[in-house]
Amino acid sequence: MFGVSFFLIVVIGLIQITAGVSHWLVENKDAQIKHLTVQGHPKYTDETAIIKAIKRADLSSFFELDVKHVQQLVQDLPWVATVSVRKQWPDTLQVYVVEHDAVAHWNSDLLLNQKGEAFQASSDKLNVDLPQLFGPEGSEQEAWLAFKQFDEMLKVNALTLNSLALSERFSWQLWLDNGVRLNLGRKDKAKRVQRFIDVYPRMEHPENAQIDTIDLRYDTGLAVSFKPMQEEQLQNKSKA
C-alpha cells in the first residue's frame, strides 16, 4: 500500500508540474526580445551594424527566436569571424562577436586571417601596412605558412619580406623591402632562401646599380640581374 501511494503521489505531482509549465508557457508565449547586448569589443565592426543585422531576424517571440539564424546574420558582416548567441530570460539576447585578425592582403582584393583563411572586408580601417600575398584559389594557407617561414628566416638576418607570389604552376617568388626579388622555383624553397641569406652579404654590384632579381632555381649557385639606381637613390648615395 505504501508503494502504491508513493507512486500515485509522484504521478499527481508530475501532472501538476506539467500543467503548471504548460500554463506558464501559454501566458508567456508572446514574450519579446527587448534588450540586445553586444559583447567581445569588436574593433572594425560598428555596434550599430551588428544590431541592424540582428533586427533582420524575427524578435517577436523569445521562445521561437532561431539563435542560429541570428548567428548567421551577424557572421555575414565583413569583419566578423565567429559569433555566439544566447537568450537570457526574460527578454534579453546576448551576442558575443569575435573578429578576424587580418595579417596579409590576398590577391589584392581579399584579406587573410591568422589561420590563413581569406575573407572579404575593407582594408581602409587598418592602421598598419600588411604584406601582399598572391596565389591560386585554395592556396591561401600554404602561402601564409610559407610567408611566415621565410619572413622569420629573413628577419633573423635583418632582411624584411614584403610580398610573396605563388604561380599557377606552384613556383614561388619573394619581394624584399629593399626591392630585391627572389625567384625560388617549385622545390627546396627554404633551402634556396637560406642560400640567398648566406651569399647576399658578400654580393658585389656595379657602381650606380642595384640588385633587381636573384634567380635561385639552381641546384647550386644563383644568377643575379641588376638595374640602374633611381635618381633619389643616387642622391642619397652621394650625400652619404
Side-chain angles (χ1 to χ4, degrees):
M1 290 295 293
F2 175 78
V4 173
S5 299
F6 179 77
F7 175 74
L8 290 175
I9 292 172
V10 171
V11 171
I12 293 171
L14 289 175
I15 292 174
Q16 289 178 338
I17 291 173
T18 302
V21 171
S22 299
H23 178 69
W24 183 83
L25 289 173
V26 170
E27 284 189 340
N28 293 277
K29 66 182 180 65
D30 295 326
Q32 298 180 353
I33 298 294
K34 296 180 180 179
H35 302 286
L36 298 175
T37 303
V38 177
Q39 301 173 328
H41 307 292
K43 182 178 179 181
Y44 302 110
T45 308
D46 293 333
E47 185 171 319
T48 53
I50 296 173
I51 294 175
K52 184 178 179 180
I54 295 171
K55 287 184 175 180
R56 290 170 56 195
D58 184 3
L59 305 179
S60 61
S61 173
F62 180 89
F63 294 104
E64 295 181 3
L65 175 64
D66 185 352
V67 293
K68 289 185 178 180
H69 179 51
V70 175
Q71 179 180 354
Q72 189 59 55
L73 288 172
V74 178
Q75 197 157 338
D76 286 341
L77 295 173
W79 278 95
V80 177
T82 60
V83 182
S84 175
V85 180
R86 186 169 69 92
K87 291 187 286 187
Q88 182 176 359
W89 179 257
D91 57 7
T92 301
L93 189 68
Q94 295 181 339
V95 180
Y96 189 89
V97 176
V98 177
E99 290 185 312
H100 291 288
D101 184 10
V103 294
H105 295 279
W106 178 250
N107 289 336
S108 298
D109 59 347
L110 297 174
L111 293 167
L112 292 183
N113 62 22
Q114 287 185 323
K115 296 180 181 179
E117 299 168 336
F119 65 98
Q120 181 78 57
S122 173
S123 59
D124 295 340
K125 295 184 179 181
L126 294 171
N127 54 11
V128 294
D129 292 329
L130 299 179
Q132 297 280 350
L133 275 62
F134 303 88
E137 183 178 355
S139 63
E140 296 90 343
Q141 292 186 356
E142 183 178 3
W144 173 238
L145 289 174
F147 181 89
K148 289 195 295 182
Q149 179 187 14
F150 300 149
D151 183 49
E152 189 63 32
M153 293 174 65
L154 293 163
K155 190 180 297 182
V156 171
N157 293 275
L159 296 166
T160 302
L161 180 59
N162 271 6
S163 183
L164 172 151
L166 177 60
S167 73
E168 293 288 345
R169 299 182 60 187
F170 287 87
S171 179
W172 298 83
Q173 293 187 76
L174 310 180
W175 284 263
L176 307 185
D177 66 337
N178 58 9
V180 175
R181 177 167 62 95
L182 306 182
N183 194 345
L184 303 180
R186 291 186 290 178
K187 60 181 183 178
D188 298 330
K189 305 183 297 294
K191 182 178 179 180
R192 290 172 177 178
V193 170
Q194 186 60 54
R195 186 193 308 164
F196 159 75
I197 291 171
D198 294 338
V199 175
Y200 183 68
R202 302 193 298 272
M203 282 186 178
E204 297 181 358
H205 52 79
E207 188 176 358
N208 298 336
Q210 62 179 342
I211 297 174
D212 181 23
T213 303
I214 299 177
D215 193 341
L216 294 145
R217 294 175 298 174
Y218 302 93
D219 293 333
T220 58
L222 48 83
V224 183
S225 62
F226 298 90
K227 62 182 178 181
M229 285 187 178
Q230 301 294 325
E231 184 65 29
E232 182 179 351
Q233 293 172 314
L234 291 173
Q235 291 177 359
N236 293 335
K237 183 178 179 181
S238 63
K239 290 179 182 178

